[in-house]
Amino acid sequence: MSPACPCASGLPLADCCSPYHTDIPAPSAELLMRSRYSAYVLGLIDYLVDTTLPAQQAGLDRAGMAAWSAQSVWLGLEVENAEVLGGQPEHAFVSFTARWHDGEGEHHSHERSAFVQHQGRWYFIDPTVPLKAGRNDPCPCGSGEKFKKCCGPFV
């Protein structure tokens, strides 16, 4: 029997986030966010990189992500709100609180994360990695829209 999914859905891991960790794109921003939390719990750093906006992937601190994943005891996830904004490409916000314990004690982080869908896949827009685009440049998400009219308002 599969263990419970770390994302707190109440489902077994095999029936929840595990398929997204292998080859099936998450069908919504909320499910992508849940699967990313589970990936931190499980140490799946490649998945975390692959589900970040491709234009930001080279700027990620893989070693830092791996260390945070491995050195933390993940205590839980609570999704407060998932807001799909629509448009082309489709954007969404997911508000959540993640809790963990590390060598410095217990922590929690409340976030409102932005996501964009491109070519049938949802991607996390990482606020710690600058998107190198001017207002009138093509959006780094690959939509063909100007940055100011696409992902610009979400970063």
Side-chain angles (χ1 to χ4, degrees):
M1 182 169 181
S2 179
C5 191
C7 82
S9 66
L11 296 172
L13 177 61
D15 297 331
C16 192
C17 291
S18 187
Y20 308 136
H21 294 153
T22 54
D23 60 352
I24 298 172
S28 69
E30 179 181 349
L31 290 175
L32 177 60
M33 191 282 309
R34 286 180 174 279
S35 68
R36 286 177 57 85
Y37 174 86
S38 293
Y40 270 109
V41 173
L42 301 169
L44 304 175
I45 306 309
D46 287 343
Y47 179 78
L48 294 166
V49 171
D50 291 345
T51 57
T52 300
L53 190 65
Q56 295 180 303
Q57 291 175 4
L60 293 172
D61 177 6
R62 290 180 69 98
M65 294 165 70
W68 188 38
S69 172
Q71 296 168 5
S72 299
V73 175
W74 298 91
L75 303 174
L77 173 70
E78 180 183 340
V79 176
E80 287 109 28
N81 186 39
E83 177 184 4
V84 178
L85 305 173
Q88 288 298 323
E90 192 166 44
H91 288 83
F93 285 112
V94 179
S95 299
F96 63 94
T97 301
R99 296 181 306 108
W100 70 96
H101 183 272
D102 60 22
E104 297 177 14
E106 192 168 316
H107 310 277
H108 73 277
S109 177
H110 177 76
E111 296 182 27
R112 183 175 185 242
S113 294
F115 298 83
V116 62
Q117 188 180 48
H118 180 63
Q119 296 181 341
R121 289 191 169 271
W122 282 97
Y123 292 97
F124 170 59
I125 303 173
D126 192 323
T128 68
V129 180
L131 283 171
K132 295 178 173 76
R135 289 176 31 84
N136 292 314
D137 290 341
C139 191
C141 80
S143 68
E145 297 288 324
K146 289 183 179 182
F147 181 61
K148 69 181 178 185
K149 296 210 179 239
C150 191
C151 292
F154 304 100
V155 294

